[in-house]
Amino acid sequence: MQLVIVESPAKAKTIEGYLGKDFRVLASYGHIRDLPPKDGSVDPDDGFAMQWENYADKGKQLKAIADEAKKADRLILATDPDREGEAISWHVQEVLRQKKALPQDVQRVTFNAITKPAVTSAMARPRQLDTDLIDAYRARRALDYLVGFTLSPVLWRKLPGAKSAGRVQSVALRLVVEREREIESFVPREYWSITADMEHDGQTFQARLVRFDGDKIERLTIGDGDTAARARAAVEAGRFTVSSVETKPATRNPAPPFTTSTLQQEAARKLGFSASHTMRVAQTLYEAGAITYMRTDGVQMDGDAISAARGAIARRYDAGYVPDKPRQYQTKAKNAQEAHEAIRPTDFGKDRHGAGDEARLYDLIWRRALASQMASARLVRTAVELVDGTGRHALRATGQVVLFPGYLALYEEGRDDDGDEDSRRLPRLAEGDAPAKTGVSAEQHFTQPPPRYSEASLVKRMEELGIGRPSTYASILQVLKDRAYVRVDKNRFLPEESGRLLIAFLERFFARYVSYDFTAGLEEELDDVSGGRAQWQAVLDAFWRDFKPKTAEVMEQKPSEITAALDEFLSDFLFPPKADGSDARLCPNCGEGRLALRGGRFGAFVACSNYPDCKFTRRFAQGGSEDAGGDAGPEVLGRDPDTDLEVSRRSGRFGPYLQLGEGKDAKRASIPKDAPDVDLEFALKLLALPRTVGAHPETGEPITASIGRYGPYLLHAGKYARLASTVEVFETGMNAAVVKLAEAAAGGGRPQRGAAREPLRQLGKHPRTELELRLMEGRYGPYVTDGTTNATLPKDIAPEQLTLEEAAQLIDARAAAAPAKKGRKAPAKKAAAKKAEPAKSGDKASAKKPVAKKTAAGKTATKKTSKA
């Protein structure tokens, strides 16, 4: 028997069907072990020796692999054809070696597509594990560990509120933060454009003013309304004739097939997918045998695939759409081992696959790959200049005409910016023509700051700088979101306060390690390890020799020294010069103290030097702009007439709140967002919550109204009912409260625990177990279930975008990760009682059956595998 190891159960099932009865195919479910998150997992003093630890939830799978390996004559490691795939194979081999279950014959095979020809061909050409790729993996993993476990303790002790910092993630975060700084420092400039609406031979077009009073007009030349009005009047008064028509033929060539990064960018532009969602859907397509491997920076296609694409083009279009020679693309990637074949369909004859997001992404991949082998588009670009009678004013109109669409008939690459004038259509014009002028407009504009990064543009920029590699882009962006260093608003990245502070700290104390050139250079060194051109421990030693002393130096500084250095480093942001020339650091509250950066339990903030006499504070992220507000300290609303304690309004980490009294015994209440103007009377009402509405007429138990974590509510006998607003907490009477509680109990409010819920979606039957899969709404969010196993939906998967295969994989992974059920010890058997004599006729007591006793084991007989 031959044992084949792959990553996923879907892949395992497909490949086992290709190989026949002599093969057993098992899935590792990804990586099986990693460096444990504790000090000492990498020892720089011992040649960067690493202590690996098996994942706790992979025990069941590893046992199954080891049991089969002991019976196997040959072990075939068939994980993905990249560095991570090589690493998974190596880990499996090493674990089996430790378990003394490693067969004598161990071989490695790779294939770029999960099709029968690709798999069987790969099985006929096995090789040994690539030690260079494994060394590169170990070097990257050790680097990430050393940076994280050396730098993070520095952050925890010296930068309040910071969580951790990653080697590549920090550089990506710096891109987002620097873009925000550019936007904040941007000063808009006013400019005007003058446009004439023209008509010729029944076709309308637009021409813009390019010369005024004999001077050439640039974008910012007309900078005020008075000049714009004069220019508009000149165009309105002039009679313009065509002075020149310039026509240039142009050719547009198709883009190469997708790489990992270009697929993520285009899927974000055209389909609105996040990078992580794109990769999940692409993984599903790959495992279904629909596309080639999706983690690649190669742009070339296999010769047979090119022939198939040209044949598909000829069948779909006429011969003019097939170029004379096949198109050959060259990858720009320096790392040859990563430059696999581009992402393409495995069968160009299939223009559809799957449903939902799978179908949409497959269509994008199919179109891009097929278009890459189509003929170029031929166009004519036209520029027309029109001059008035004086010769001092001129208009210009541009446009293009598509003579032959070529690949544009099938696919056009998306762009992050808007289209330009060249895409407009023009009528046929000749010198001396005088098109009719139907209107003239003068439009005011202001220069715009650079746009915030989208997922597509951020991935593109990282690729341009050489930061990260194809397999890492999605995880890098996800880490930034998970750690709350950034937030996504309208598909654009905005840095959070914690992210900005972290980057300021790293730029001030670890500038080299967040520089783009250093990070890109280190990536190239790791690529050299992959290619066998560098020794992995030497690369690590060169990094560690400088990095370790730097972290020790920063660790020796006091937190106050760190804060003072950041105060100076960030002075332009925190205290920019004021328009009136006044002191930017002067406290706006007391007018005497000096503002400075301070560190607190929950992060950095700006405070007055006269504390505690002056309690003015300002959030770090507010900066020092003219409109930046601040908190001048507690606002006294009055005194409680019952206790004579002071009632004050304050600002806290989670927003404004009220406080009654001082010290640790002071009573506090958050101020809801929908609360009316908070005066002393309303403040006392909030502080007095919960409010007793009265006794329930049926049970006699009290009904109370209050405000909780999820908003205003009613409570009676452990049952809740929602209220619509804060005002209802104080105005809801007994009749209304009884009705709301009854409606909630009947299902009109929040579902009661244990009540049957309708599924959000019926997903269909599990492709391997045939069990019906449903998407449900749970207490902690949406989850999928097959009736036995529940799997929580990851945060980055939108419930409406979940596919059947994704749901099946979540169920499979959760089932594999579930701990084996431990059998309970059977209760000791009692000695058999002496057989009773049957009751005789006439006996006063008749025979009775003994009552069966319940056992503890019976209570868990229907326990589910897992909970959502």
Side-chain angles (χ1 to χ4, degrees):
M1 187 268 289
Q2 303 181 64
L3 176 62
V4 181
I5 303 298
V6 295
E7 292 95 339
S8 76
K11 192 174 174 182
K13 182 177 181 181
T14 302
I15 292 174
E16 193 166 70
Y18 293 154
L19 296 179
K21 296 180 180 179
D22 188 41
F23 291 84
R24 180 83 169 93
V25 185
L26 293 180
S28 69
Y29 288 89
H31 276 282
I32 59 171
R33 64 178 188 173
D34 196 6
L35 296 171
K38 62 182 181 181
D39 287 336
S41 294
V42 177
D43 187 358
D45 297 328
D46 187 18
F48 298 94
M50 303 183 200
Q51 303 296 322
W52 302 98
E53 181 179 82
N54 295 347
Y55 285 124
D57 60 355
K58 295 293 176 72
K60 179 180 177 182
Q61 202 61 24
L62 285 176
K63 184 179 184 305
I65 291 172
D67 290 345
E68 292 294 329
K70 290 176 182 177
K71 299 181 289 183
D73 303 316
R74 180 186 179 208
L75 174 65
I76 303 171
L77 301 166
T79 49
D80 289 341
D82 60 3
R83 185 182 58 247
E84 290 299 311
E86 207 76 16
I88 292 172
S89 288
W90 174 70
H91 281 306
V92 170
Q93 175 183 271
E94 294 305 300
V95 168
L96 291 178
R97 194 192 307 279
Q98 292 171 6
K99 292 177 176 289
K100 298 183 178 179
L102 189 68
Q104 288 286 335
D105 189 5
V106 180
Q107 294 179 329
R108 172 84 165 110
V109 301
T110 59
F111 33 82
N112 199 41
I114 305 179
T115 61
K116 189 169 185 178
V119 172
T120 52
S121 174
M123 290 295 176
R125 295 179 285 101
R127 62 169 173 83
Q128 297 301 307
L129 283 171
D130 189 324
T131 55
D132 291 334
L133 287 184
I134 295 167
D135 287 348
Y137 160 78
R138 291 197 286 180
R140 286 178 183 274
R141 192 65 196 88
L143 266 177
D144 291 339
Y145 170 89
L146 290 171
V147 171
F149 274 81
T150 308
L151 189 54
S152 294
V154 178
L155 294 174
W156 301 335
R157 297 173 191 176
K158 309 300 180 184
L159 195 69
K163 298 176 181 177
S164 60
R167 180 178 64 89
V168 182
Q169 294 95 326
S170 296
V171 184
L173 177 60
R174 182 186 172 190
L175 284 170
V176 176
V177 171
E178 284 193 341
R179 178 56 55 87
E180 197 66 21
R181 291 174 185 163
E182 290 178 53
I183 293 170
E184 290 169 348
S185 62
F186 181 82
V187 179
R189 289 184 59 185
E190 179 185 8
Y191 71 97
W192 292 72
S193 63
I194 312 300
T195 307
D197 295 321
M198 315 289 284
E199 183 179 344
H200 186 73
D201 288 343
Q203 184 175 343
T204 60
F205 65 98
Q206 284 190 332
R208 59 184 173 84
L209 183 66
V210 294
R211 190 164 68 245
F212 175 55
D213 277 341
D215 296 325
K216 185 178 179 181
I217 300 295
E218 302 289 353
R219 184 188 182 200
L220 303 177
T221 300
I222 304 177
D224 60 87
D226 292 340
T227 306
R230 289 191 295 106
R232 176 181 178 179
V235 175
E236 287 177 332
R239 181 178 183 274
F240 288 82
T241 57
V242 176
S243 63
S244 66
V245 178
E246 184 180 347
T247 302
K248 289 184 179 179
T251 300
R252 285 178 63 182
N253 297 319
F258 282 129
T259 62
T260 302
S261 66
T262 55
L263 176 64
Q264 291 173 2
Q265 293 169 46
E266 198 73 337
R269 295 186 193 109
K270 292 190 172 181
L271 305 179
F273 290 179
S274 68
S276 56
H277 184 64
T278 297
M279 297 313 292
R280 274 196 307 273
V281 178
Q283 179 84 34
T284 304
L285 292 172
Y286 167 65
E287 292 180 353
I291 64 171
T292 55
Y293 191 57
M294 66 288 163
R295 290 186 178 90
T296 174
D297 47 20
V299 292
Q300 66 275 12
M301 287 201 302
D302 178 75
D304 292 339
I306 292 175
S307 298
R310 288 168 64 86
I313 295 166
R315 290 190 298 272
R316 190 178 182 91
Y317 303 96
D318 60 47
Y321 285 83
V322 184
D324 295 336
K325 294 180 180 180
R327 294 187 181 277
Q328 299 292 340
Y329 298 95
Q330 296 298 321
T331 182
K332 296 179 182 178
K334 296 180 180 180
N335 185 9
Q337 66 86 17
E338 293 267 298
H340 302 295
E341 191 180 358
I343 305 170
R344 62 167 176 84
T346 55
D347 182 359
F348 279 99
K350 291 179 61 177
D351 60 358
R352 291 182 180 84
H353 177 87
D357 288 350
E358 286 182 41
R360 297 171 68 198
L361 191 65
Y362 178 82
D363 179 70
L364 196 65
I365 293 168
W366 179 84
R367 287 177 181 274
R368 172 81 166 228
L370 196 64
S372 73
Q373 288 299 319
M374 291 177 69
S376 302
R378 297 196 304 275
L379 314 99
V380 172
R381 289 198 173 101
T382 304
V384 178
E385 186 160 299
L386 305 97
V387 181
D388 74 340
T390 68
R392 297 180 58 79
H393 313 306
L395 302 172
R396 185 179 178 86
T398 58
Q400 69 181 20
V401 176
V402 177
L403 300 179
F404 173 67
Y407 76 94
L408 292 176
L410 181 65
Y411 180 85
E412 184 168 7
E413 189 175 19
R415 292 182 293 184
D416 292 314
D417 51 3
D418 297 328
D420 54 30
E421 295 176 343
D422 286 344
S423 60
R424 297 172 181 168
R425 300 294 297 270
L426 289 178
R428 190 178 296 275
L429 293 164
E431 287 187 33
D433 287 343
K437 186 164 68 272
T438 59
V440 181
S441 61
E443 292 185 50
Q444 183 187 37
H445 310 276
F446 291 92
T447 54
Q448 297 296 312
R452 292 185 175 97
Y453 284 110
S454 63
E455 288 220 355
S457 58
L458 185 55
V459 166
K460 183 178 180 181
R461 185 60 180 145
M462 290 168 62
E463 186 179 36
E464 290 171 352
L465 293 170
I467 298 168
R469 285 298 180 257
S471 60
T472 64
Y473 294 137
S475 61
I476 288 170
L477 302 189
Q478 193 60 47
V479 166
L480 295 182
K481 290 184 276 190
D482 290 345
R483 290 180 180 169
Y485 288 149
V486 301
R487 71 180 186 276
V488 180
D489 182 31
K490 297 178 181 177
N491 295 322
R492 298 281 172 170
F493 285 105
L494 282 79
E496 293 283 19
E497 184 172 308
S498 57
R500 296 190 68 141
L501 187 61
L502 172 63
I503 289 303
F505 174 82
L506 294 175
E507 286 179 320
R508 172 60 180 82
F509 295 101
F510 295 91
R512 182 186 182 202
Y513 302 100
V514 288
S515 74
Y516 305 130
D517 290 343
F518 176 81
T519 306
L522 192 56
E523 291 287 354
E524 290 184 9
E525 290 185 57
L526 293 170
D527 289 346
D528 287 339
V529 175
S530 298
R533 300 180 294 276
Q535 204 274 336
W536 69 280
Q537 283 129 324
V539 172
L540 288 176
D541 186 63
F543 174 85
W544 186 247
R545 198 165 46 239
D546 293 328
F547 183 71
K548 178 60 176 176
K550 183 63 179 176
T551 56
E553 175 191 326
V554 177
M555 186 66 90
E556 290 176 0
Q557 297 189 45
K558 297 177 181 178
S560 58
E561 295 173 337
I562 298 288
T563 304
L566 288 176
D567 178 275
E568 181 182 354
F569 182 76
L570 291 166
S571 60
D572 289 343
F573 167 66
L574 296 174
F575 314 107
K578 291 192 174 183
D580 59 4
S582 59
D583 187 357
R585 285 182 178 263
L586 188 66
C587 177
N589 184 48
C590 68
E592 297 177 359
R594 303 275 294 165
L595 298 181
L597 187 67
R598 295 285 183 266
R601 182 181 176 187
F602 302 111
F605 60 97
V606 172
C608 178
S609 59
N610 279 344
Y611 180 86
D613 294 333
C614 178
K615 294 179 174 144
F616 177 86
T617 59
R618 189 175 71 212
R619 289 178 53 201
F620 165 79
Q622 286 179 268
S625 59
E626 295 286 350
D627 58 349
D631 176 24
E635 176 190 351
V636 177
L637 300 178
R639 289 188 172 275
D640 178 10
D642 296 332
T643 64
D644 198 38
L645 293 175
E646 189 176 81
V647 178
S648 58
R649 176 179 178 143
R650 302 169 181 241
S651 291
R653 184 187 179 197
F654 302 107
Y657 67 96
L658 298 165
Q659 180 169 308
L660 176 65
E662 294 289 342
K664 63 180 182 179
D665 295 328
K667 188 171 184 179
R668 298 175 179 86
S670 295
I671 300 177
K673 291 182 179 179
D674 66 337
D677 292 337
V678 179
D679 54 14
L680 177 62
E681 181 183 359
F682 193 76
L684 290 172
K685 287 183 178 180
L686 286 171
L687 288 163
L689 290 177
R691 163 185 166 249
T692 300
V693 178
H696 195 287
E698 295 178 3
T699 66
E701 295 190 35
I703 300 174
T704 59
S706 190
I707 301 171
R709 181 180 179 185
Y710 301 106
Y713 65 91
L714 293 169
L715 174 62
H716 166 253
K719 304 295 183 182
Y720 294 86
R722 287 176 178 159
L723 293 174
S725 67
T726 298
V727 173
E728 286 193 5
V729 174
F730 305 103
E731 295 182 352
T732 300
M734 178 59 67
N735 291 338
V738 170
V739 171
K740 287 180 181 291
L741 287 164
E743 289 175 347
R750 185 174 181 175
Q752 300 298 311
R753 183 175 297 181
R757 294 186 178 97
E758 287 295 318
L760 299 176
R761 283 171 60 198
Q762 293 282 0
L763 299 169
K765 291 187 176 181
H766 192 299
R768 292 170 284 283
T769 65
E770 298 295 318
L771 294 174
E772 193 70 31
L773 298 184
R774 302 185 304 279
L775 177 65
M776 307 292 291
E777 180 63 50
R779 182 181 180 187
Y780 302 107
Y783 65 95
V784 292
T785 181
D786 63 1
T788 302
T789 300
N790 300 339
T792 303
L793 214 62
K795 292 180 180 179
D796 56 347
I797 298 183
E800 64 274 7
Q801 296 179 338
L802 181 70
T803 65
L804 175 61
E805 182 56 36
E806 285 178 328
Q809 289 186 20
L810 289 171
I811 290 291
D812 291 343
R814 188 67 186 87
K821 291 182 181 179
K822 295 181 180 179
R824 291 180 180 269
K825 187 175 180 181
K829 293 183 179 179
K830 292 182 179 180
K834 189 175 180 179
K835 193 173 180 179
E837 293 291 329
K840 295 181 180 178
S841 176
D843 283 355
K844 294 182 180 179
S846 61
K848 293 184 179 179
K849 293 182 180 179
V851 178
K853 293 183 179 180
K854 289 184 180 180
T855 65
K859 295 180 182 179
T860 59
T862 59
K863 184 179 179 181
K864 290 186 178 180
T865 304
S866 62
K867 292 183 179 180

